[in-house]
Every structure is written in structure tokens, then in C-alpha cells.
Amino acid sequence: MLVKQDADAIAEFETDEGGAFHAAGVEAVYFPENVDDVAQLLRDANARGVSVTTSGGGTGLTGGRVATGGGWVLSTAEMREARGLSPERAAAPLAQGADPEGEALRGQPSAGTDPPRVEHEQFGRTYSILLDEERLEAVAPTGLTLELLGGMLPAGVIYPPDPTERTATLGGSIATNASGARTFHYGATRQWVEALELVLPTGEPLTVERGDVTARDGRLRFAVGGRDLDIPIPTYPMPAVKNAAGLYAAPDMDLVDLFVGAEGILGVVTQARLKLARLDREIIAEIAFFSSLEDAFGFVADLRQAKAEGLPVLSIEYFDGHALNFMQHPTVRGNYAAAIYTEIAGSMDDAEALLVALEENHVAQDWFAEDAAERQEQKDFRHSLPDGVNAYLRRQGSYKLGTDFAVPAEQFPKLLALSIEAADSFRAQFPHEGEHTATWGHLGNYHLHFNFLARNTEELTVAQRLYAGLAQQAAALGGTISAEHGLGKKTAEVNGRNVPYLQIMYGEDGLRQIAAVKQVLDPNWILNPGNMIPGRM
């Protein structure tokens, strides 16, 4: 296992793409290649009392991979080779009605052969997955980027979760239950994960198959490595929206779902068996520009109705006029209140409802893409948004503070109105040329990123106060404060106190329930300290 301790190597892991958190006191960066390397590393960390922070592609925005408390960093960059998931290490459910000291139901592992291996060479390095095209499943190492994974699948087969950042790793996307534009149609990462190979914080390797261990009486009970574990499931209510905040919790939940979206605090995922899907129809894409928000949202309502009637609408994305000011393409002319991007699986023959909706909602300009080259141009246009915002921030010496809220459909108009009100308040307090805010995101899931663009620390302080107020409103409306980015090490000021960000949504009692789960699996509290919850509670 490669280990780096020089300052330059450590500096590469000092922050993430969000840039709000910075590591301090990191002793070394470790690059395990497989589950056994990870197990040895975590056993050593427990023996020495050293904290371990896991790092994927560094594309996160919440400081999840940033070792703010020092210790060791575990990079997944060298976990590139797929291997069969070991049934000998499978979680064994405890007998129904048994106490934690009871006998486990230990089934005999079924014999079988691994599916064919697919390899890919990039920059002199070999990556591999195990692909069962007939069953539409793949086993993939978690150091693989989503872009690489997609490129290794045959034509017409996709891994449906579609996070915007394609250089994110599979491990990072599992840790945050990541999602993206096509979540509107396919759902988020969790429902596409069939099995996990992971290492518990104590250094015990574990294979978790969906369906093998499910909750009974509010607890997950299973055996691993000669130990019987009894995990109390949190009782806080999960919001009925796209959500990446806190541990997943449901009375009859599957053990797999506990680890998906856990932000690395319960174990290190090394491989995953994923469900795949066929997409054997063409994709047509449209970016529609509107002169009023009313027309834009009317168009979205018509798209939803068309989907309900059978039109395979894969995504509905939103950009407000301020966001459009950061996006560049020679065919886009004029100033617009909003733009809507949508993808449909089908041909022009399937697009009649789309064309009718465009006309009835007074589209000011539309950009239709029917082939791959035009879709790539649209993708470049969409990706010019973060580039444009980042360039603006650099020129202004500014800060971006972006929300990640989603709310139930009936509450979305209220949250949107509150966001516009917050923007007006921010602009009134700091009148100056240039943009103050910009909003974009996944309107199909009633999930928008409302971004404050603060020019200095005074503006940032006000933006943070407005942000915290909006987060409280989103939670009160039955929504989530994090729909896709996770929580990482974020905090918020509430009633004059700086509290863990998740406390806004689940209260201090909810944090204590998460801490109780972690205590069972990580008794020495060494793994990813500070993520989601502040520490022992």
C-alpha cells in the first residue's frame, strides 16, 4: 500500500471543491488497493488511536473529505480493480427474536463464477469492472470515477444515477446518495445499489447483500467477524422528498441502505454491485428560454402532465435569469427570466406534447437538440455556468454560499417566494453592480440551488444568516436541507449559536440517535470525525 507523507502530497488533500474547509495536522495519505489494505489500515488506526478521513475525487462541497482534525487520509484513488464480492464475509442476520448474544442464521455461500471482466486503460493505469450484461449488473471498485464507469458500459446500457460532476468517484457518490438531472426519472443512487463490500471502522471486512439483513422491531441485528451487532434505527421522520441529509431510517429498512448516504462515518466502501438499465431509445433535449417565471413554470407543469400520461421525460432542470448571465453560447440571444432544460427518451414522433407546451407557454427562444453533437453543445452550455460563476468569484474576490434544499411539491411555491424575498433583502442591503444571487437546479424534484454571491466577509455574514433562515423554512415545510450534497462538516448559526447543520432538520435528539448508531460500529470514533455529527454525544 502506497503511503505519502511529503508536504506536496498532503497539500492535494487539504480541501475540496467547495473550499470552505481546510485540513490541519495530516500525518500521511494512504492509498489502499483493496479491501484487505483498508482493513489493515483501520486496524492500525484503532490500535494507535489515530483518526482516518476518507477521500474520493475531491469534488464535494461540504468538507466531507477534509481532515480538519488531522490524522491520516485514506484515498480511494488506487482502488481500481474489481474483484468478486466475498460471500464468506457476508453479514449474517441474527435469528428472529434472538438477542444480540443469540445464534446467527449463517447460510452457506452459493457457489458461482464471477461475470466477465471489462478493463480500461487511462493514463497508463488499468481500471476494471465485472459486467453481467444479461442481468444488468456490474461490480465496480469505488475508486472509479462515474465518467470511467459510464465509458466501460456497452452501448445502450447506463448506470442511471447522473450526478452533474462526472469526475466524482463511485465511492463518494455512494457516501452521499448522490443524484443529478435524471433523478427525476430514475431516482438517486440508493435504489441502484444491490450489494456493498466495505470495511467497518474497527477493521472488519463485510459484504452486505440487499435482502440479507432487514430491520425488525426498530433494530438491525447481524453478525460479523465473530461479533453480534445490534444497531438502533433512528426514529426521526424522513422527509418524503429527494434527500441526502442524515442516516437513512425506516422501520423495515435494509442494512445496505444504512451505509448508502452515511458520508463515510459507518464504514469504508471498497466495491459495490450496481444495477444498470437499458437506454435503447434516442435522447432528445430541449433548452427553452422564457421572458417570465410564470411561463417557465407553466411549461414545467405541462411537462409533468405529459410524463404522467406516458412521455418518458428524464429530467427537468431550471436556470434563473441571473444564472443565465454566467452562461455563454452564440445561439442564445436576449435577456430571459428563466430557462428550462429537459431530456426525453424518444424521437421527434414522441415530442408533440413538448412542442405544444412550448407554444402554449410563450417560449421566447428554444434550442432543440436531436443528435449527439447538439446535445454536447447543450452540455457545454450548461457546464459554462459553474465556470462562469467561479470566474466571477475570482474577479470579485467573492464567496458563493449555495443552498441544497428540496421540498414537497405543494410547498415549492412558498420556498421559491422565500428565496426571492431573501435575494431582494440581500440586494437591498448591499447595492452594487454585478450579480448578488443566482439560482439553478433540479426542478423536476423541486430541488433548487439558491446561491448567494458575497463579495466580502460582511456580505458573507449576512448571506449565512439568510441561508440559515431558509434552511429552517425548508425543514419546517417538510423538506430537506440537503437533497444531494450531504452535510459534511457544515454548521449554521441559529439563535446566536453555531450548531451542526443537521440539527436544523432533526434537532439535537436526532443527532444523538445518529451518534448511537456510530457508537456501535465505530466505538473508538476514528472514522471521518466531524462528518454529519460533531462527535460523541
Side-chain angles (χ1 to χ4, degrees):
M1 176 169 37
L2 178 65
V3 183
K4 294 184 178 181
Q5 295 179 288
D6 61 283
D8 289 342
I10 290 173
E12 294 181 18
F13 296 85
E14 284 185 346
T15 190
D16 63 3
E17 194 169 295
F21 298 89
H22 295 272
V26 174
E27 300 173 22
V29 182
Y30 290 78
F31 297 85
E33 297 181 16
N34 51 53
V35 64
D36 295 322
D37 285 351
V38 174
Q40 185 61 57
L41 174 60
L42 292 182
R43 287 195 294 267
D44 291 346
N46 276 280
R48 294 183 52 180
V50 179
S51 64
V52 177
T53 300
T54 55
S55 173
T59 60
L61 301 174
T62 64
R65 79 134 180 187
V66 182
T68 54
W72 299 344
V73 171
L74 185 165
S75 169
T76 63
E78 293 301 317
M79 287 198 277
R80 298 181 277 113
E81 180 183 356
R83 306 180 181 190
L85 303 184
S86 172
E88 290 81 8
R89 291 168 166 170
L94 295 178
Q96 187 169 4
D99 61 29
E101 281 84 36
E103 286 295 317
L105 297 174
R106 303 178 191 276
Q108 294 299 314
S110 58
T113 57
D114 290 335
R117 180 178 299 275
V118 177
E119 294 187 342
H120 177 79
E121 296 282 339
Q122 186 179 63
F123 304 124
R125 309 173 77 181
T126 302
Y127 299 83
S128 68
I129 63 173
L130 304 179
L131 176 65
D132 189 330
E133 190 171 353
E134 183 177 345
R135 292 174 58 89
L136 284 177
E137 291 184 345
V139 174
T142 50
L144 205 65
T145 66
L146 298 175
E147 184 175 47
L148 276 171
L149 174 60
M152 296 167 76
L153 299 178
V157 175
I158 62 170
Y159 174 54
D162 186 35
T164 306
E165 182 49 77
R166 303 299 293 165
T167 60
T169 62
L170 176 62
S173 70
I174 291 172
T176 57
N177 187 34
S179 55
R182 292 181 182 174
T183 303
F184 176 59
H185 183 75
Y186 290 111
T189 295
R190 177 173 285 111
Q191 66 191 72
W192 297 94
V193 177
E194 283 294 285
L196 297 171
E197 176 191 81
L198 57 95
V199 182
L200 296 180
T202 46
E204 294 158 303
L206 179 67
T207 299
V208 184
E209 297 269 352
R210 187 172 291 281
D212 278 0
V213 179
T214 55
R216 293 185 178 92
D217 304 319
R219 309 185 82 86
L220 285 159
R221 298 184 175 100
F222 63 99
V224 57
R227 289 196 303 142
D228 294 336
L229 299 178
D230 182 4
I231 298 174
I233 297 171
T235 58
Y236 46 69
M238 297 287 290
V241 297
K242 174 184 176 185
N243 181 41
L247 297 181
Y248 183 84
D252 58 351
M253 67 182 286
D254 193 285
L255 182 57
V256 168
D257 293 328
L258 181 69
F259 294 103
V260 177
E263 301 201 43
I265 68 172
L266 305 180
V268 178
V269 178
T270 53
Q271 292 189 107
R273 188 169 76 244
L274 310 168
K275 290 194 298 183
L276 308 173
R278 294 198 184 278
L279 185 61
D280 49 10
R281 305 180 70 186
E282 289 296 319
I283 299 292
I284 57 177
E286 162 75 26
I287 303 180
F289 300 85
F290 298 92
S291 298
S292 74
L293 291 181
E294 290 78 11
D295 287 337
F297 290 123
F299 176 63
V300 170
D302 287 348
L303 286 177
R304 290 184 183 282
Q305 181 61 35
K307 182 176 176 63
E309 294 172 357
L311 184 67
V313 180
L314 303 184
S315 62
I316 302 177
E317 301 287 283
Y318 172 82
F319 308 90
D320 78 352
H322 302 290
L324 290 173
N325 288 336
F326 294 105
M327 302 166 73
Q328 300 295 324
H329 191 274
T331 67
V332 178
R333 306 173 302 278
N335 296 317
Y336 304 107
I340 304 296
Y341 170 82
T342 188
E343 290 178 308
I344 297 171
S347 65
M348 282 296 296
D349 294 336
D350 303 303
E352 182 179 355
L354 171 67
L355 299 177
V356 170
L358 287 169
E359 182 176 355
E360 291 187 349
N361 291 285
H362 314 108
V363 63
Q365 180 184 347
D366 77 295
W367 178 3
F368 187 81
E370 195 176 358
D371 58 39
E374 290 176 300
R375 289 196 299 273
Q376 184 59 49
E377 280 194 52
Q378 288 187 339
K379 184 179 294 186
D380 292 342
F381 176 69
R382 291 159 60 209
H383 287 177
S384 71
L385 173 57
D387 292 341
V389 170
N390 290 337
Y392 175 81
L393 295 176
R394 286 193 296 270
R395 288 195 304 271
Q396 301 291 327
S398 302
Y399 307 85
K400 178 170 73 70
L401 186 64
T403 72
D404 189 25
F405 310 147
V407 294
E410 66 275 12
Q411 301 293 354
F412 179 74
K414 184 170 185 178
L415 182 64
L416 181 64
L418 289 168
S419 298
I420 293 173
E421 182 181 311
D424 291 342
S425 172
F426 186 63
R427 193 173 293 108
Q429 290 183 66
F430 302 104
H432 59 72
E433 293 296 322
E435 299 293 349
H436 292 72
T437 64
T439 303
W440 62 84
H442 316 298
L443 189 53
N445 299 103
Y446 301 104
H447 168 212
L448 295 183
H449 302 298
F450 177 79
N451 296 270
F452 293 96
L453 307 178
R455 296 194 309 173
N456 51 50
T457 55
E458 181 186 4
E459 291 190 13
L460 182 62
T461 298
V462 172
Q464 288 171 332
R465 176 176 54 79
L466 293 169
Y467 182 107
L470 288 172
Q472 291 173 285
Q473 292 283 354
L477 293 171
T480 179
I481 59 174
S482 179
E484 66 179 352
H485 292 157
L487 303 160
K489 299 175 175 68
K490 290 174 66 174
T491 61
E493 185 175 318
V494 179
N495 298 326
R497 291 194 309 126
N498 198 46
V499 301
Y501 189 47
L502 187 59
Q503 189 167 321
I504 290 176
M505 189 164 162
Y506 292 143
E508 188 173 331
D509 182 62
L511 270 61
R512 291 186 184 280
Q513 293 182 53
I514 293 172
V517 176
K518 184 170 177 64
Q519 181 65 41
V520 175
L521 296 174
D522 188 6
N524 295 320
W525 287 73
I526 66 147
L527 189 59
N528 288 302
N531 283 1
M532 198 179 296
I533 53 177
R536 295 179 190 267
M537 298 184 70

